[in-house]
Every structure is written in structure tokens, then in C-alpha cells.
Amino acid sequence: MSDREPRWLSLIAVLAVGGLYWAIPEALSPGPGWVLLALAAPLSILAAVLHRRAKFALNQIVGYTLLSIMTVAMIGALALLIAAVLAHKEKPSALLRSAVALWASNILIFASWYWRLDAGGPNQRELRGEHTEGAFLFPQMTLNDPDWMPGFVDYVFLAFNTSTAFSPTDVPVLSRWAKVMMMVQSTISLTALALLAARAVNIL
């Protein structure tokens, strides 16, 4: 799989996070729901334009900025959700919708982080033309296939497993920064799932 096709998938993932944030009730989000999507769309387009013009350093800066904003917004919404559950002020349906949106956003945001950071990011991986070193040991790397490189779907799969199994499953983690990020992702996912379970028990 080429790196160009997953690049479009990363754009869709970022816009999907903006849509999921919009689905969270206003009382459970740090700001208006449309703000994140309004920021994500132009910044994503800017990042794509910079990549096409080979402005890779600026492309990375824009990508880091966008993901940082999304990460802060997700953590802020999670904090508000925890407070709302403890205060018993919001309707169960609103709390459940918010928890599901945050759990899904957690997967897409961290998949985007891994895609942006692993082995220097997609631009550096594409320039090298091979993927023999990185923060994650994908099974294909053990097969000595010089033509294989991880795409965005591979990082989504890694993030999904981290949020469901709370472990990297078939992809060992090699670097310390990746281990720390995966611990943060697992903590956020566990919190969202615990809130879902708590509301489900109360409803039943």
C-alpha cells in the first residue's frame, strides 16, 4: 500500500474527530461543538497543500498543532463528562453519547499521533522508501520486505487494539515515547468505557 492513499484516510479521520466532537452536548464540551471542525477543515487542507508543495517541515508543524488542539479538547470533554456523571445533572442518553464519541475520538486522535511521529512521520518514511526502524515493530517488518511501509490503517488498527485490549497485541512497542502515549490512550479509553458501564448499570 502506498503512503499517499493513507494520507487521505488521515484527513478523513481528523474531520471525523471534528464531527464526533460536534455530537457531544454543549454542556459536556469545553467550547461550541462546531469550533473543532471549523479548525480541523482548513488546517487539514493547509497540511495537504504543504505536503504537495514539499514543505514537509511546515506540514509537520500544522499536523502537530491540529492534533494538539484535538487532544486538549478531548481531555477537556472527558473531564467535563466525569464531572457530569458525578453530579447526576445530565440525561443518561447525553452521557452515553458523549462517552461513545470520546472513545472513538481517542482511537482516531492517537492513531494520527502514531502516524505523525513514528520513524519521523509519513514524510520521512516516504523519502526513505523503506521502513526498517520505528517505534513499533509491525509483523511485516520481520519478513524483510523492503517495499512494505505502514499506512494510516496500520496505526488505526494499533490504536483500536490499545483502546479495546489495552495492549498493542501483535505490534510490540519499542520506544519510550510510544509506551507513554499508549499508556495515556489506554487510560482515556478505560475511563470512557468505565463511564459507559456505569451509566448502563444505572439505566438497567
Side-chain angles (χ1 to χ4, degrees), residues 11-78:
L11 173 61
I12 294 173
V14 167
L15 296 177
V17 171
L20 288 167
Y21 187 81
W22 202 347
I24 297 175
E26 293 285 340
L28 300 177
S29 62
W34 54 267
V35 170
L36 196 60
L37 188 58
L39 288 173
L43 287 177
S44 298
I45 294 173
L46 176 59
V49 171
L50 290 172
H51 174 260
R52 291 184 64 87
R53 295 185 178 180
K55 305 291 186 180
F56 298 140
L58 290 176
N59 171 272
Q60 286 288 76
I61 291 173
V62 172
Y64 293 152
T65 301
L66 177 56
L67 288 177
S68 297
I69 293 172
M70 288 187 160
T71 304
V72 170
M74 176 182 63
I75 294 174
L78 182 62

Side-chain angles (χ1 to χ4, degrees), residues 90-174:
E90 295 294 326
K91 295 180 179 180
S93 59
L95 296 174
L96 290 172
R97 187 168 75 248
S98 298
V100 171
L102 288 174
W103 183 81
S105 297
N106 186 41
I107 294 174
L108 296 176
I109 288 173
F110 277 91
S112 299
W113 273 120
Y114 302 146
W115 180 73
R116 279 278 177 190
L117 293 172
D118 187 30
N123 300 319
Q124 292 299 319
R125 294 195 299 270
E126 186 176 0
L127 289 174
R128 284 195 298 270
E130 62 178 3
H131 189 75
T132 56
E133 298 180 0
F136 307 101
L137 182 62
F138 291 98
Q140 293 87 341
M141 295 168 62
T142 63
L143 301 178
N144 296 322
D145 183 0
D147 297 325
W148 184 87
M149 287 192 298
F152 188 71
V153 172
D154 297 298
Y155 294 103
V156 172
F157 181 72
L158 172 64
F160 179 82
N161 288 336
T162 303
S163 285
T164 53
F166 308 111
S167 68
T169 59
D170 66 335
V171 183
V173 189
L174 306 178

